[in-house]
Amino acid sequence: MNTAGHSKATAPRGLELTPFRGLRYDPDRVGSLAAVTSPPYDVVVRPDGLHHLQSADPHNIVRLILPEAAAPEERNAQAAETLRRWRAEGILTPDPEPGLYVYEQRDGDGLEQRGVIGALRVSEPDEHLVLPHEDVMTHIVADRADLMRATSANLEPLLLTYRGDDTTAGTAGLIERTAGRPPLLATTTEDGVHHRLWPVTDPAGLAVIRDELSAHQALIADGHHRWATYRRLRAEHPSPSPWDHGLVLLVDTARYPLRVRAIHRLLHGLPVARALRALDGLFRVRRLDLPLPKAMDALAEAAEEGNAFLLTGDDGAFHLVDRPDPALLDRTVPVDRPEAWRTLDATVLHATLLDHVWRVPDDPAHIAYIHDTAATVDKARRAGGTAVLMHPVHEDVVRELARQGVTMPRKSTSFGPKPASGLVLRALDL
């Protein structure tokens, strides 16, 4: 696999998904496979969620993806030593031969998602093969890069999507046939999601996937910072090298549409009363004395007509904020972007509300990004800040902007279901 890299002089190619020797937990050496898995690193709500996962099993994957120590250097060294020890002790063992992996997630609410995990060639932006739709923060990329350098591993797969068609019928058929066989592993995580994994090592099957995906491009659904990290680490190492590739899950959303959810904001140090006063005359504000589900329904209805947000804090009520003053938007939203970008809720939130009305800097000291709606509300009410609850963006809007090369404000969307971390890892020395 390590010979798969090419020089930059090579003619442009399509997506290249490469087999790798997966590094996996030995089920006989851990309490259960479910107990050693975790959501992706940026979904874990620290510290409560982190400590919960740590206590689930002493070998939970969070000890690698979110190591705890006083300084960053100590955290990364600790993760590297933990990974080395677990491999030496047989907690994590490599599969006997390289392959791709069909991965399935199912729940009791009708969700079914299948895709292929592999090592994807890290392409340059001007190849237009892997399309980002959100901006990244350099300090997070630096943090993930330091961890990957220290461990020399891809510890969790990114979630990428592609739109399958008649040209990917062979890949779709292979995935379905593979899912009819006994799995390599099966487990159910505490959120009720059933996970199954199958190896694909047959040369003919691998060739079908390789050839069909080479005519397609992918959208980053989850993992912008880790993809930027892959690109940084690839640039640091002369090609060919194992850093030419990065671990991904590729899902055909024509067959398995992802769920798109919003990522909410928690504004530290801005009481909701002050936030609402600043909106006087600029937005319509209505108080909703409703439970959270009903308030979110009201947000969804308002969002059909234009920009809308739901605010809450220590006053115990929800406040529906919509109908911004058009003159305010004209003054604050950049005009050098497509209309679809200028009218995004995330654009108006950041360019108009955060930058101009509330003057809240976009840094961790002032803003937290939280995926769970109820957790965002609870934290705002306990801490006295302002929760800004968002309505999700349609996937078609995200994909079209990405094709135009236009990135959305970071953390604008949450695609799911996200792959569980800990089911299969990629060590770069295998």
Side-chain angles (χ1 to χ4, degrees):
M1 185 194 77
N2 293 353
T3 62
H6 299 268
S7 71
K8 293 185 178 180
T10 303
R13 296 157 287 164
L15 296 175
E16 295 181 13
L17 197 63
T18 305
F20 70 105
R21 287 184 69 192
L23 187 65
R24 297 186 300 105
Y25 283 98
D26 181 343
D28 295 329
R29 301 295 305 275
V30 297
S32 73
L33 290 176
V36 295
T37 64
S38 162
Y41 80 99
D42 58 340
V43 181
V44 177
V45 180
R46 301 181 75 169
D48 298 344
L50 180 62
H51 296 157
H52 171 73
L53 291 164
Q54 287 175 337
S55 63
D57 188 285
H59 302 106
N60 190 284
I61 191 68
V62 294
R63 297 182 187 275
L64 299 181
I65 63 175
L66 289 172
E68 285 196 303
E73 297 81 3
E74 296 174 16
R75 291 197 296 269
N76 297 327
Q78 176 181 295
E81 171 56 24
T82 299
L83 178 58
R84 184 205 62 76
R85 186 175 71 253
W86 287 358
R87 291 180 66 178
E89 295 173 352
I91 304 299
L92 289 166
T93 59
D95 282 333
E97 58 182 319
L100 302 176
Y101 297 84
V102 170
Y103 175 46
E104 176 191 85
Q105 293 162 281
R106 306 180 82 166
D107 68 10
D109 297 326
L111 166 73
E112 181 181 67
Q113 177 174 289
R114 290 174 181 158
V116 181
I117 295 176
L120 185 70
R121 180 178 69 88
V122 179
S123 54
E124 295 300 322
D126 59 8
E127 296 182 70
H128 304 295
L129 292 176
V130 176
L131 307 177
H133 69 268
E134 291 182 355
D135 296 327
V136 298
M137 298 188 72
T138 54
H139 74 276
I140 297 178
V141 175
D143 175 74
R144 290 294 101 184
D146 289 342
L147 178 63
M148 286 191 204
R149 283 192 209 95
T151 58
S152 193
N154 301 150
L155 301 172
E156 47 185 349
L158 285 63
L159 175 59
L160 305 185
T161 73
Y162 65 100
R163 297 292 291 179
D165 52 28
D166 291 344
T167 68
T168 56
T171 298
L174 185 148
I175 290 172
E176 301 310 307
R177 291 193 302 274
T178 301
R181 303 199 311 254
L184 181 66
L185 66 83
T187 191
T188 302
T189 45
E190 65 179 8
D191 57 4
V193 177
H194 307 286
H195 306 263
R196 297 197 294 172
L197 194 75
W198 297 263
V200 179
T201 57
D202 172 57
L206 295 174
V208 167
I209 296 174
R210 180 191 65 232
D211 294 345
E212 292 190 347
L213 290 182
S214 68
H216 287 262
Q217 61 183 184
L219 174 73
I220 302 176
D222 185 68
H224 283 81
H225 288 92
R226 284 168 287 166
W227 181 257
T229 300
Y230 289 170
R231 290 189 51 241
R232 174 179 292 192
L233 294 172
R234 181 197 184 198
E236 292 176 0
H237 296 82
S239 183
S241 85
W243 299 101
D244 289 345
H245 296 75
L247 189 63
V248 306
L249 165 65
L250 270 167
V251 174
D252 175 4
T253 53
R255 296 180 63 85
Y256 297 104
L258 268 63
R259 294 176 175 174
V260 186
R261 294 189 170 94
I263 302 176
H264 310 297
R265 276 68 167 159
L266 175 61
L267 311 182
H268 308 299
L270 178 65
V272 69
R274 190 196 310 164
L276 293 169
R277 282 196 303 271
L279 300 178
D280 187 35
L282 302 176
F283 285 75
R284 182 175 69 168
V285 179
R286 289 175 285 165
R287 180 184 174 106
L288 305 179
D289 290 307
L290 297 171
L292 177 57
K294 295 289 188 182
M296 293 301 290
D297 288 343
L299 172 62
E301 184 177 344
E304 292 180 1
E305 300 180 3
N307 301 118
F309 312 93
L310 196 63
L311 273 55
T312 192
D314 58 6
D315 63 351
F318 293 103
H319 306 272
L320 184 60
V321 175
D322 64 354
R323 297 188 182 178
D325 176 12
L328 173 68
L329 299 183
D330 289 342
R331 292 196 310 271
T332 57
V333 176
V335 298
D336 60 343
R337 304 288 183 90
E339 181 69 11
W341 181 90
R342 300 184 74 248
T343 56
L344 288 169
D345 287 339
T347 297
V348 172
L349 172 62
H350 284 261
T352 303
L353 287 171
L354 295 177
D355 289 353
H356 290 270
V357 177
W358 293 328
R359 300 193 178 278
V360 176
D362 189 3
D363 60 55
H366 295 88
I367 304 178
Y369 292 82
I370 305 175
H371 292 73
D372 184 84
T373 308
T376 311
V377 172
D378 181 63
K379 288 176 178 292
R381 291 183 175 176
R382 285 191 288 110
T386 295
V388 181
L389 305 182
M390 310 282 288
H391 184 68
V393 182
H394 291 294
E395 180 187 354
D396 289 345
V397 174
V398 177
R399 187 176 296 275
E400 182 53 36
L401 285 172
R403 282 177 175 157
Q404 295 179 45
V406 178
T407 54
M408 300 163 64
R410 69 187 190 90
K411 301 296 184 182
S412 294
T413 59
S414 176
F415 284 92
K418 305 177 192 304
S421 299
L423 295 179
V424 61
L425 291 65
R426 175 178 175 250
L428 272 66
D429 62 350
L430 291 175

